PDB file of all heavy atoms in Angstrom:
ATOM      1  N   THR A 171     146.850-112.014 166.660  1.00  0.00           N
ATOM      2  CA  THR A 171     145.473-111.703 167.045  1.00  0.00           C
ATOM      3  C   THR A 171     145.137-112.343 168.397  1.00  0.00           C
ATOM      4  O   THR A 171     144.602-111.693 169.296  1.00  0.00           O
ATOM      5  CB  THR A 171     144.489-112.208 165.978  1.00  0.00           C
ATOM      6  OG1 THR A 171     144.773-111.571 164.734  1.00  0.00           O
ATOM      7  CG2 THR A 171     143.053-111.920 166.371  1.00  0.00           C
ATOM      8  N   LEU A 172     145.457-113.626 168.530  1.00  0.00           N
ATOM      9  CA  LEU A 172     145.168-114.345 169.770  1.00  0.00           C
ATOM     10  C   LEU A 172     145.896-113.733 170.957  1.00  0.00           C
ATOM     11  O   LEU A 172     145.310-113.538 172.038  1.00  0.00           O
ATOM     12  CB  LEU A 172     145.571-115.821 169.620  1.00  0.00           C
ATOM     13  CG  LEU A 172     144.761-116.665 168.628  1.00  0.00           C
ATOM     14  CD1 LEU A 172     145.419-118.028 168.456  1.00  0.00           C
ATOM     15  CD2 LEU A 172     143.329-116.826 169.107  1.00  0.00           C
ATOM     16  N   LEU A 173     147.166-113.403 170.758  1.00  0.00           N
ATOM     17  CA  LEU A 173     147.973-112.885 171.863  1.00  0.00           C
ATOM     18  C   LEU A 173     147.474-111.521 172.321  1.00  0.00           C
ATOM     19  O   LEU A 173     147.222-111.306 173.519  1.00  0.00           O
ATOM     20  CB  LEU A 173     149.443-112.797 171.426  1.00  0.00           C
ATOM     21  CG  LEU A 173     150.421-112.264 172.483  1.00  0.00           C
ATOM     22  CD1 LEU A 173     150.420-113.154 173.714  1.00  0.00           C
ATOM     23  CD2 LEU A 173     151.822-112.142 171.900  1.00  0.00           C
ATOM     24  N   PHE A 174     147.302-110.601 171.381  1.00  0.00           N
ATOM     25  CA  PHE A 174     146.906-109.240 171.762  1.00  0.00           C
ATOM     26  C   PHE A 174     145.493-109.199 172.329  1.00  0.00           C
ATOM     27  O   PHE A 174     145.231-108.489 173.307  1.00  0.00           O
ATOM     28  CB  PHE A 174     147.034-108.305 170.562  1.00  0.00           C
ATOM     29  CG  PHE A 174     148.471-108.033 170.170  1.00  0.00           C
ATOM     30  CD1 PHE A 174     148.870-108.115 168.849  1.00  0.00           C
ATOM     31  CD2 PHE A 174     149.421-107.714 171.130  1.00  0.00           C
ATOM     32  CE1 PHE A 174     150.186-107.877 168.484  1.00  0.00           C
ATOM     33  CE2 PHE A 174     150.737-107.477 170.781  1.00  0.00           C
ATOM     34  CZ  PHE A 174     151.135-107.557 169.450  1.00  0.00           C
ATOM     35  N   LEU A 175     144.583-109.956 171.745  1.00  0.00           N
ATOM     36  CA  LEU A 175     143.218-109.967 172.273  1.00  0.00           C
ATOM     37  C   LEU A 175     143.181-110.563 173.675  1.00  0.00           C
ATOM     38  O   LEU A 175     142.451-110.068 174.555  1.00  0.00           O
ATOM     39  CB  LEU A 175     142.293-110.761 171.343  1.00  0.00           C
ATOM     40  CG  LEU A 175     141.923-110.095 170.020  1.00  0.00           C
ATOM     41  CD1 LEU A 175     141.011-110.999 169.208  1.00  0.00           C
ATOM     42  CD2 LEU A 175     141.230-108.748 170.270  1.00  0.00           C
ATOM     43  N   ALA A 176     143.967-111.628 173.894  1.00  0.00           N
ATOM     44  CA  ALA A 176     144.002-112.236 175.225  1.00  0.00           C
ATOM     45  C   ALA A 176     144.514-111.237 176.262  1.00  0.00           C
ATOM     46  O   ALA A 176     143.950-111.120 177.367  1.00  0.00           O
ATOM     47  CB  ALA A 176     144.878-113.486 175.204  1.00  0.00           C
ATOM     48  N   LEU A 177     145.571-110.502 175.919  1.00  0.00           N
ATOM     49  CA  LEU A 177     146.137-109.544 176.879  1.00  0.00           C
ATOM     50  C   LEU A 177     145.188-108.372 177.108  1.00  0.00           C
ATOM     51  O   LEU A 177     144.998-107.927 178.249  1.00  0.00           O
ATOM     52  CB  LEU A 177     147.490-109.042 176.362  1.00  0.00           C
ATOM     53  CG  LEU A 177     148.606-110.095 176.277  1.00  0.00           C
ATOM     54  CD1 LEU A 177     149.879-109.481 175.710  1.00  0.00           C
ATOM     55  CD2 LEU A 177     148.887-110.714 177.651  1.00  0.00           C
ATOM     56  N   ILE A 178     144.571-107.871 176.033  1.00  0.00           N
ATOM     57  CA  ILE A 178     143.676-106.711 176.175  1.00  0.00           C
ATOM     58  C   ILE A 178     142.425-107.074 176.967  1.00  0.00           C
ATOM     59  O   ILE A 178     142.070-106.397 177.947  1.00  0.00           O
ATOM     60  CB  ILE A 178     143.287-106.168 174.776  1.00  0.00           C
ATOM     61  CG1 ILE A 178     144.511-105.546 174.096  1.00  0.00           C
ATOM     62  CG2 ILE A 178     142.172-105.133 174.898  1.00  0.00           C
ATOM     63  CD1 ILE A 178     144.305-105.229 172.631  1.00  0.00           C
ATOM     64  N   PHE A 179     141.747-108.142 176.557  1.00  0.00           N
ATOM     65  CA  PHE A 179     140.499-108.514 177.243  1.00  0.00           C
ATOM     66  C   PHE A 179     140.788-109.067 178.644  1.00  0.00           C
ATOM     67  O   PHE A 179     139.966-108.922 179.550  1.00  0.00           O
ATOM     68  CB  PHE A 179     139.717-109.516 176.401  1.00  0.00           C
ATOM     69  CG  PHE A 179     138.933-108.891 175.288  1.00  0.00           C
ATOM     70  CD1 PHE A 179     139.531-108.609 174.075  1.00  0.00           C
ATOM     71  CD2 PHE A 179     137.594-108.556 175.463  1.00  0.00           C
ATOM     72  CE1 PHE A 179     138.815-108.025 173.039  1.00  0.00           C
ATOM     73  CE2 PHE A 179     136.867-107.970 174.443  1.00  0.00           C
ATOM     74  CZ  PHE A 179     137.484-107.695 173.213  1.00  0.00           C
ATOM     75  N   GLY A 180     141.941-109.746 178.801  1.00  0.00           N
ATOM     76  CA  GLY A 180     142.319-110.209 180.126  1.00  0.00           C
ATOM     77  C   GLY A 180     142.577-109.058 181.077  1.00  0.00           C
ATOM     78  O   GLY A 180     142.176-109.102 182.254  1.00  0.00           O
ATOM     79  N   TRP A 181     143.213-107.986 180.582  1.00  0.00           N
ATOM     80  CA  TRP A 181     143.446-106.795 181.411  1.00  0.00           C
ATOM     81  C   TRP A 181     142.112-106.167 181.817  1.00  0.00           C
ATOM     82  O   TRP A 181     141.933-105.771 182.974  1.00  0.00           O
ATOM     83  CB  TRP A 181     144.292-105.795 180.622  1.00  0.00           C
ATOM     84  CG  TRP A 181     144.518-104.499 181.353  1.00  0.00           C
ATOM     85  CD1 TRP A 181     143.699-103.411 181.396  1.00  0.00           C
ATOM     86  CD2 TRP A 181     145.640-104.179 182.191  1.00  0.00           C
ATOM     87  NE1 TRP A 181     144.219-102.421 182.178  1.00  0.00           N
ATOM     88  CE2 TRP A 181     145.421-102.864 182.685  1.00  0.00           C
ATOM     89  CE3 TRP A 181     146.793-104.859 182.562  1.00  0.00           C
ATOM     90  CZ2 TRP A 181     146.328-102.224 183.520  1.00  0.00           C
ATOM     91  CZ3 TRP A 181     147.702-104.219 183.394  1.00  0.00           C
ATOM     92  CH2 TRP A 181     147.467-102.934 183.865  1.00  0.00           C
ATOM     93  N   ILE A 182     141.181-106.093 180.859  1.00  0.00           N
ATOM     94  CA  ILE A 182     139.855-105.521 181.177  1.00  0.00           C
ATOM     95  C   ILE A 182     139.133-106.395 182.205  1.00  0.00           C
ATOM     96  O   ILE A 182     138.482-105.888 183.124  1.00  0.00           O
ATOM     97  CB  ILE A 182     139.002-105.403 179.892  1.00  0.00           C
ATOM     98  CG1 ILE A 182     139.633-104.405 178.928  1.00  0.00           C
ATOM     99  CG2 ILE A 182     137.570-104.984 180.221  1.00  0.00           C
ATOM    100  CD1 ILE A 182     138.979-104.377 177.557  1.00  0.00           C
ATOM    101  N   GLY A 183     139.266-107.727 182.058  1.00  0.00           N
ATOM    102  CA  GLY A 183     138.509-108.644 182.904  1.00  0.00           C
ATOM    103  C   GLY A 183     139.068-108.824 184.300  1.00  0.00           C
ATOM    104  O   GLY A 183     138.310-108.824 185.285  1.00  0.00           O
ATOM    105  N   PHE A 184     140.386-108.975 184.428  1.00  0.00           N
ATOM    106  CA  PHE A 184     140.939-109.228 185.767  1.00  0.00           C
ATOM    107  C   PHE A 184     142.302-108.566 185.996  1.00  0.00           C
ATOM    108  O   PHE A 184     143.087-109.009 186.838  1.00  0.00           O
ATOM    109  CB  PHE A 184     141.021-110.738 186.056  1.00  0.00           C
ATOM    110  CG  PHE A 184     141.559-111.581 184.929  1.00  0.00           C
ATOM    111  CD1 PHE A 184     142.908-111.768 184.749  1.00  0.00           C
ATOM    112  CD2 PHE A 184     140.676-112.198 184.050  1.00  0.00           C
ATOM    113  CE1 PHE A 184     143.386-112.557 183.731  1.00  0.00           C
ATOM    114  CE2 PHE A 184     141.141-112.986 183.017  1.00  0.00           C
ATOM    115  CZ  PHE A 184     142.510-113.173 182.854  1.00  0.00           C
ATOM    116  N   GLY A 185     142.585-107.516 185.255  1.00  0.00           N
ATOM    117  CA  GLY A 185     143.726-106.669 185.562  1.00  0.00           C
ATOM    118  C   GLY A 185     145.074-107.254 185.174  1.00  0.00           C
ATOM    119  O   GLY A 185     145.178-108.157 184.341  1.00  0.00           O
ATOM    120  N   PRO A 186     146.152-106.748 185.801  1.00  0.00           N
ATOM    121  CA  PRO A 186     147.521-107.138 185.423  1.00  0.00           C
ATOM    122  C   PRO A 186     147.858-108.606 185.684  1.00  0.00           C
ATOM    123  O   PRO A 186     148.920-109.078 185.243  1.00  0.00           O
ATOM    124  CB  PRO A 186     148.403-106.216 186.280  1.00  0.00           C
ATOM    125  CG  PRO A 186     147.525-105.731 187.387  1.00  0.00           C
ATOM    126  CD  PRO A 186     146.136-105.719 186.856  1.00  0.00           C
ATOM    127  N   VAL A 187     146.983-109.312 186.360  1.00  0.00           N
ATOM    128  CA  VAL A 187     147.207-110.754 186.566  1.00  0.00           C
ATOM    129  C   VAL A 187     147.320-111.483 185.225  1.00  0.00           C
ATOM    130  O   VAL A 187     147.941-112.545 185.125  1.00  0.00           O
ATOM    131  CB  VAL A 187     146.056-111.357 187.412  1.00  0.00           C
ATOM    132  CG1 VAL A 187     146.195-112.862 187.549  1.00  0.00           C
ATOM    133  CG2 VAL A 187     146.021-110.713 188.777  1.00  0.00           C
ATOM    134  N   VAL A 188     146.757-110.897 184.175  1.00  0.00           N
ATOM    135  CA  VAL A 188     146.788-111.545 182.862  1.00  0.00           C
ATOM    136  C   VAL A 188     148.213-111.776 182.382  1.00  0.00           C
ATOM    137  O   VAL A 188     148.498-112.769 181.696  1.00  0.00           O
ATOM    138  CB  VAL A 188     145.992-110.710 181.826  1.00  0.00           C
ATOM    139  CG1 VAL A 188     146.687-109.379 181.521  1.00  0.00           C
ATOM    140  CG2 VAL A 188     145.803-111.491 180.535  1.00  0.00           C
ATOM    141  N   PHE A 189     149.144-110.877 182.762  1.00  0.00           N
ATOM    142  CA  PHE A 189     150.534-111.051 182.328  1.00  0.00           C
ATOM    143  C   PHE A 189     151.195-112.221 183.051  1.00  0.00           C
ATOM    144  O   PHE A 189     151.978-112.974 182.462  1.00  0.00           O
ATOM    145  CB  PHE A 189     151.324-109.763 182.558  1.00  0.00           C
ATOM    146  CG  PHE A 189     150.821-108.603 181.750  1.00  0.00           C
ATOM    147  CD1 PHE A 189     150.112-107.568 182.348  1.00  0.00           C
ATOM    148  CD2 PHE A 189     151.027-108.567 180.381  1.00  0.00           C
ATOM    149  CE1 PHE A 189     149.635-106.501 181.597  1.00  0.00           C
ATOM    150  CE2 PHE A 189     150.552-107.507 179.614  1.00  0.00           C
ATOM    151  CZ  PHE A 189     149.859-106.470 180.224  1.00  0.00           C
ATOM    152  N   ASP A 190     150.863-112.397 184.323  1.00  0.00           N
ATOM    153  CA  ASP A 190     151.354-113.573 185.053  1.00  0.00           C
ATOM    154  C   ASP A 190     150.780-114.851 184.445  1.00  0.00           C
ATOM    155  O   ASP A 190     151.486-115.856 184.299  1.00  0.00           O
ATOM    156  CB  ASP A 190     150.951-113.485 186.539  1.00  0.00           C
ATOM    157  CG  ASP A 190     151.572-112.289 187.232  1.00  0.00           C
ATOM    158  OD1 ASP A 190     152.687-111.889 186.823  1.00  0.00           O
ATOM    159  OD2 ASP A 190     150.950-111.752 188.167  1.00  0.00           O
ATOM    160  N   LEU A 191     149.491-114.796 184.086  1.00  0.00           N
ATOM    161  CA  LEU A 191     148.840-115.961 183.477  1.00  0.00           C
ATOM    162  C   LEU A 191     149.514-116.314 182.144  1.00  0.00           C
ATOM    163  O   LEU A 191     149.782-117.492 181.871  1.00  0.00           O
ATOM    164  CB  LEU A 191     147.358-115.662 183.262  1.00  0.00           C
ATOM    165  CG  LEU A 191     146.505-116.796 182.670  1.00  0.00           C
ATOM    166  CD1 LEU A 191     146.464-117.971 183.631  1.00  0.00           C
ATOM    167  CD2 LEU A 191     145.094-116.289 182.378  1.00  0.00           C
ATOM    168  N   ALA A 192     149.807-115.285 181.338  1.00  0.00           N
ATOM    169  CA  ALA A 192     150.463-115.521 180.046  1.00  0.00           C
ATOM    170  C   ALA A 192     151.845-116.134 180.242  1.00  0.00           C
ATOM    171  O   ALA A 192     152.245-117.055 179.515  1.00  0.00           O
ATOM    172  CB  ALA A 192     150.562-114.215 179.266  1.00  0.00           C
ATOM    173  N   TYR A 193     152.576-115.631 181.230  1.00  0.00           N
ATOM    174  CA  TYR A 193     153.922-116.164 181.511  1.00  0.00           C
ATOM    175  C   TYR A 193     153.843-117.626 181.933  1.00  0.00           C
ATOM    176  O   TYR A 193     154.586-118.483 181.411  1.00  0.00           O
ATOM    177  CB  TYR A 193     154.569-115.316 182.605  1.00  0.00           C
ATOM    178  CG  TYR A 193     155.850-115.892 183.142  1.00  0.00           C
ATOM    179  CD1 TYR A 193     157.045-115.784 182.439  1.00  0.00           C
ATOM    180  CD2 TYR A 193     155.864-116.560 184.374  1.00  0.00           C
ATOM    181  CE1 TYR A 193     158.219-116.331 182.946  1.00  0.00           C
ATOM    182  CE2 TYR A 193     157.020-117.098 184.890  1.00  0.00           C
ATOM    183  CZ  TYR A 193     158.203-116.982 184.165  1.00  0.00           C
ATOM    184  OH  TYR A 193     159.369-117.526 184.663  1.00  0.00           O
ATOM    185  N   LEU A 194     152.945-117.936 182.848  1.00  0.00           N
ATOM    186  CA  LEU A 194     152.835-119.312 183.342  1.00  0.00           C
ATOM    187  C   LEU A 194     152.369-120.264 182.237  1.00  0.00           C
ATOM    188  O   LEU A 194     152.852-121.408 182.151  1.00  0.00           O
ATOM    189  CB  LEU A 194     151.868-119.361 184.530  1.00  0.00           C
ATOM    190  CG  LEU A 194     152.345-118.654 185.807  1.00  0.00           C
ATOM    191  CD1 LEU A 194     151.227-118.609 186.843  1.00  0.00           C
ATOM    192  CD2 LEU A 194     153.587-119.361 186.374  1.00  0.00           C
ATOM    193  N   GLN A 195     151.452-119.813 181.388  1.00  0.00           N
ATOM    194  CA  GLN A 195     150.976-120.661 180.295  1.00  0.00           C
ATOM    195  C   GLN A 195     152.100-120.937 179.299  1.00  0.00           C
ATOM    196  O   GLN A 195     152.216-122.039 178.764  1.00  0.00           O
ATOM    197  CB  GLN A 195     149.794-119.995 179.576  1.00  0.00           C
ATOM    198  CG  GLN A 195     148.526-119.932 180.397  1.00  0.00           C
ATOM    199  CD  GLN A 195     147.983-121.302 180.727  1.00  0.00           C
ATOM    200  OE1 GLN A 195     147.989-122.207 179.905  1.00  0.00           O
ATOM    201  NE2 GLN A 195     147.502-121.481 181.950  1.00  0.00           N
TER     202      GLN A 195
END
């Protein structure tokens, strides 16, 4: 739940940068 919601809402909020953020975290 945490992972998918973070990726979905992160994509809506600031685009594909969310995947870089997830990788770095």
